[in-house]
Each structure stands twice: as structure tokens, then as C-alpha cells.
Amino acid sequence: MKRQLYLYLFIVSALILAFTYMYFSKQLAFERTNNKAEIKNLRDSSSLISNQLNDADYFSLDKNERAQDYFPALSISKLIPQIKDALLAYNDNPNGNVYTGQEKISAQKFIINKIKILNHRWIIADYSDGTFWGDVVIKYFVKSDGEITFTVMDSYVYPKQHY
């Protein structure tokens, strides 16, 4: 009797092991195929984002070789921060940054927040006074002595939205 009980326990445990092995091997195969599809989707997403970034950087001084050729004697990696710093230095003016193209509307002054240097001649910037927001297109020129001059080409303040 004891011998038959051990035989039945052995058979039941062998069946449980066989079913467990089949279950986990199929689960592993499913996960492998699922992971391959997920990896493919991630690679596609990565290449799509990379292409979008390249398209967005098309209008950028640090990616535009023709615009860089305009400054043969200057290092672009040093020039870009120099231009940004020169423009942001006008934020310290008590009446606001004169290169926003806007006079004070409220008690706060307009200051430039973000700058994108498009090429060897143009800058687009975002500005605000905390209540109103706007965009400005600025023409800049780097003189041979390193002085940078700016001219506001166009500026727009967005209407105040009430949410």
C-alpha cells in the first residue's frame, strides 16, 4: 500500500512538473516575441523622435553650416552663449528689456525668457511680464571687435486669456 502511494505521488508530481515546464516554456516564448515587437516599436519611436529633432534644429545656428560660414574666425560654440548673454543682459533694465519691442503694460517689466538663434542674422525670443506673454523676432549683428548689436524686427503680445 505504501509502495502504491509513493507511485501515485511520483506520477502526480511528474505530471505537475511536466505541466509547469510546458507553461513556463510557452510563457517565455510569448515574452520573447512580445519583447521583439516592443523593441521594434521603441526603435521606430526613437528614429521618429530623432528625425523630428533634426527637423526642429534645421533653423538653428549650431546646426546650419552655411550660417556658420558667415563667422569663419569665430567659434560657434562660444558665440552662441555670448549672443544669448548679451541679449539677456538687457533684462536688468528697470523698464524691461528694450528688445522685446514692448513698453510696460502693467507694473512688471517685460523680460526675455527663451532665445533661439536661427542663423547668422535672426533670433526668435519669448518674453513676458508674468501676466502677458509674447514673441519677438530680432536681427543681430556681430561686429569685428566682438560687439553685438540688436534690432527688433517684429514683436507680438498675446491677448490675456481668462481661464
Side-chain angles (χ1 to χ4, degrees), residues 129-140:
D129 68 354
T131 305
F132 295 95
W133 298 82
D135 295 323
V136 62
V137 176
I138 301 170
K139 184 176 184 178
Y140 75 97

Side-chain angles (χ1 to χ4, degrees), residues 81-94 96-99 109 111-112 115 150:
Q82 183 181 357
I83 294 169
K84 288 182 178 182
D85 291 343
L87 187 56
L88 290 175
Y90 291 97
N91 283 349
D92 296 334
N93 186 334
N97 194 319
V98 295
Y99 295 109
K109 63 182 181 176
I111 60 169
I112 291 178
I115 299 169
F150 302 100

Side-chain angles (χ1 to χ4, degrees), residues 130-133 158-163:
T131 305
F132 295 95
W133 298 82
Y158 295 101
K160 186 174 180 182
Q161 299 291 324
H162 299 282
Y163 296 102

